[in-house]
Amino acid sequence: QVQLVESGGGLVQAGGSLGLACAASGFTFRNYAMGWFRQAPGKEREFVSAIGWLGATTAYADSVKGRFTISRDNAKNTLYLRMNSLKAADTAVYYCGQFKGLIYTSGATPEYWGQGTQVTVSS
C-alpha cells in the first residue's frame, strides 16, 4: 500500500533553515506528481508546493515563494522541501501528498497523505 513518511521537522529560530524529506513506498514514485501541504493550529490545511513527475514543473504558494524549494529524487523515491528564511508564520505540521497523475493542477488534493512532521519557528 502507499506509504509516505515525512522527516526533518524540528525547532528552528526565525530566519533559519530546515529541510524536510518524504520517503515514498508502495507505488511507482516517478509516475506521480507530489506536493507539500501544512496545517497550523486552528487553521485548515493549506497548499505549500508541488512538483511534477520529472521535477521540471513546480508550483508554490505565494507565502513561501522565493524562500522554499521543492525537489524530488526519483531514484531514491524521495520528495524534499528546503525551507529558508523561516518565519513564525511557517509554524505548522507539514504533510507530503501524492497527487493523481503525472502533473499537478492548481487546487488538486492529494489522494494519499503522510502522517506529517512538526515544524516550529521561534521568533
Side-chain angles (χ1 to χ4, degrees):
Q1 71 277 20
V2 173
Q3 281 199 317
L4 301 169
V5 180
E6 301 94 338
S7 61
L11 174 65
V12 63
Q13 287 189 331
S17 298
L18 207 58
L20 304 182
C22 173
S25 61
F27 65 102
T28 305
F29 181 73
R30 64 178 180 272
N31 287 352
Y32 292 88
M34 299 292 296
W36 290 97
F37 287 69
R38 67 186 182 186
Q39 187 167 18
K43 296 187 177 181
E44 294 195 351
R45 194 171 298 188
E46 64 176 3
F47 170 77
V48 174
S49 184
I51 188 167
W53 65 299
L54 284 177
T57 56
T58 58
Y60 295 93
D62 287 343
S63 59
V64 307
K65 204 171 292 183
R67 300 188 298 121
F68 290 12
T69 303
I70 191 171
S71 61
R72 64 190 296 163
D73 186 333
N74 286 344
K76 295 183 178 180
N77 292 342
T78 304
L79 176 72
Y80 302 98
L81 185 68
R82 182 66 183 174
M83 304 183 293
N84 296 328
S85 303
L86 282 161
K87 307 174 182 179
D90 295 317
T91 295
V93 177
Y94 284 72
Y95 300 89
C96 72
Q98 179 217 71
F99 293 105
K100 183 177 180 180
L102 298 169
I103 302 296
Y104 167 73
T105 54
S106 181
T109 299
E111 289 201 313
Y112 296 95
W113 297 94
Q115 84 290 347
T117 186
Q118 176 71 47
V119 172
T120 303
V121 184
S122 63
S123 55

